[in-house]
Amino acid sequence: MDSLALYIHWPFCLAKCPYCDFNSHVRDRIPQARFRAALRRELAWEAERLGHRRLTSIFFGGGTPSLMEPDTVADLIADAKRLFKPADDLEITLEANPTSVEAERFHGFKQAGVNRVSLGVQALNDADLKMLGRGHTAAEALRAVDLAASIFDRYSFDLIYARPGQTVDGWRQELQEAISRARDHLSLYQLTIEYGTMFARLRDAGKLMPPDNDHARALWDVTQEVTAKAGLPAYEISNHARPGAESRHNLIYWRYGEYVGVGPGAHGRIASAKGRRAQATESHPEMWLTVVETEGHALVEDDILSAEEQADEFLLMGLRLSEGIEPADFQAMSGRDLDPGRVASLIADGMVEYTPRGRIRVSAEGFPVLDAVVADLAA
Ligand SMILES: C[S@@+](CC[C@H](N)C(=O)[O-])C[C@H]1O[C@@H](n2cnc3c(N)ncnc32)[C@H](O)[C@@H]1O
Ligand code: SF4
């Protein structure tokens, strides 16, 4: 496969949300010009190693990439288009926080070449936004969504559900409102209490009560029901789209394609004659900056994955998709078939199923317990 996706990480946020364990940092001052030059330098270094590959998508993720100056985004897009062979329908997504300050830059991002934005709305009521530690109101977020809709052909927004105290009826209404504001893509994430976050500390102190399993399951069920009825079924465990409007960049990850990462803590997966390479850059922003300024890149991990490791990753990624995986691809990667006994028992339990074209996918019953299903199949 010749095509490649490019991920660019912007590691800064205005404030740290209490649930978030992404590589995001708060700084009084960001030396934007230095970061811009370093991102360009690391991109050029990677392109030199990778050759003139066909580029199908660029994704600016974070952190909060909408805090980048549009000129920084423009330079990186221009570089990527010059250094690689851009596909005619090159998808260029930028993650944005829905505050008014950032929305003011949307025109600049469009001019820079961004053709898809993904907004972190998270909730549509102010009490929950406050609980999530967000720096915007629901009205402000919806204004940013409307503005994105008026500027970009393609936009999506994220909501987090299974929030403490959330009722099924409340979520149903919120989802319906979200769908009325969505064009063709929505990301709906179940709140995960990540180790080391403020939310984990609050939960451990008994001050934050996420829903129990039954209630979380009821919220999951209503999510699937309402989105499917509205023509936005899940194509991935947390991502919903009208057919054809899926995030092409994210599909590369889930289909276990090749991608290169630039910026602090960015990951990549690149095929090589010896096997797939797992790459990662230095994650601490200032450390990353210093290393790139002296070495031209800050790659700190570049390991060839074993056949088993690749096959595990392939399952972990591919089974998130409603299209599932091709068993022959698993065989080619691992050198063995999926264990027929385990497949049979998961099918008997209603957790996985064969598609009419012979692919294996997780069933509607299996998705809420995806991790356990994958662990069982991969064993
Ligand atoms: C990398 S974040 C960046 C988005 C952007 N900075 C923002 O917050 O608007 C991508 C998305 O992951 C989701 N997310 C982050 N932490 C989460 C958690 N602990 N549980 C569920 N979803 C989470 C949020 O919906 C967020 O919008
Ligand atoms: S959720 Fe978004 S804004 Fe909040 S800390 Fe994480 S990356 Fe930053």
Side-chain angles (χ1 to χ4, degrees), residues 184-186 231-235 239-247:
D184 51 20
H185 194 289
L186 270 179
L232 286 165
Y235 67 98
N239 282 277
H240 297 251
R242 296 195 199 290
E246 298 86 359
S247 157

Side-chain angles (χ1 to χ4, degrees), residues 1 3-6 54-59 86-93 113-116 153-154 156 184-185 235-236 239-259 321 323:
M1 208 200 298
S3 49
L4 183 74
L6 167 64
R54 194 174 106 90
L55 186 69
T56 51
S57 59
I58 304 175
F59 193 101
D88 291 342
D89 58 350
L90 178 66
E91 177 188 86
I92 307 179
T93 306
V114 170
N115 54 26
R116 182 174 181 275
D153 288 342
R154 300 180 68 199
S156 175
D184 51 20
H185 194 289
Y235 67 98
E236 190 264 353
N239 282 277
H240 297 251
R242 296 195 199 290
E246 298 86 359
S247 157
R248 296 201 283 274
H249 182 87
N250 288 336
L251 276 178
I252 299 271
Y253 298 154
W254 298 318
R255 289 180 176 155
Y256 210 36
E258 287 181 80
Y259 54 96
L321 289 169
E323 69 183 22

Side-chain angles (χ1 to χ4, degrees), residues 10-26 62-65 95 97 120 122 132-134 160:
W10 187 256
F12 302 113
C13 294
L14 290 179
K16 184 80 187 172
C17 303
Y19 54 84
C20 178
D21 80 338
F22 282 86
N23 185 26
S24 61
H25 305 261
V26 180
T64 305
E95 275 181 348
N97 280 33
Q122 321 307 4
L132 291 168
R134 300 294 291 181
I160 295 179

Side-chain angles (χ1 to χ4, degrees), residues 7 9-10 12-13 15 17-24 59-66 95-99 102 118-123 132 134 136 157-161 187-194 197 199 238:
Y7 176 79
H9 192 78
W10 187 256
F12 302 113
C13 294
C17 303
Y19 54 84
C20 178
D21 80 338
F22 282 86
N23 185 26
S24 61
F59 193 101
F60 291 89
T64 305
S66 46
E95 275 181 348
N97 280 33
T99 70
E102 289 152 290
S118 173
L119 294 145
V121 170
Q122 321 307 4
L132 291 168
R134 300 294 291 181
H136 53 84
F157 59 91
D158 302 348
L159 295 178
I160 295 179
Y161 71 101
S187 300
L188 305 169
Y189 299 107
Q190 270 197 323
L191 175 66
T192 313
I193 308 294
E194 303 284 359
T197 59
F199 267 17
S238 308

Side-chain angles (χ1 to χ4, degrees), residues 66 196 205 298 302 315 371:
S66 46
D302 189 4
L315 279 185
D371 289 349

Side-chain angles (χ1 to χ4, degrees), residues 57-94:
S57 59
I58 304 175
F59 193 101
F60 291 89
T64 305
S66 46
L67 295 175
M68 293 169 93
E69 283 163 12
D71 281 353
T72 305
V73 175
D75 283 349
L76 286 161
I77 292 174
D79 287 355
K81 284 183 169 171
R82 194 183 62 251
L83 295 163
F84 297 105
K85 265 186 290 197
D88 291 342
D89 58 350
L90 178 66
E91 177 188 86
I92 307 179
T93 306
L94 182 133

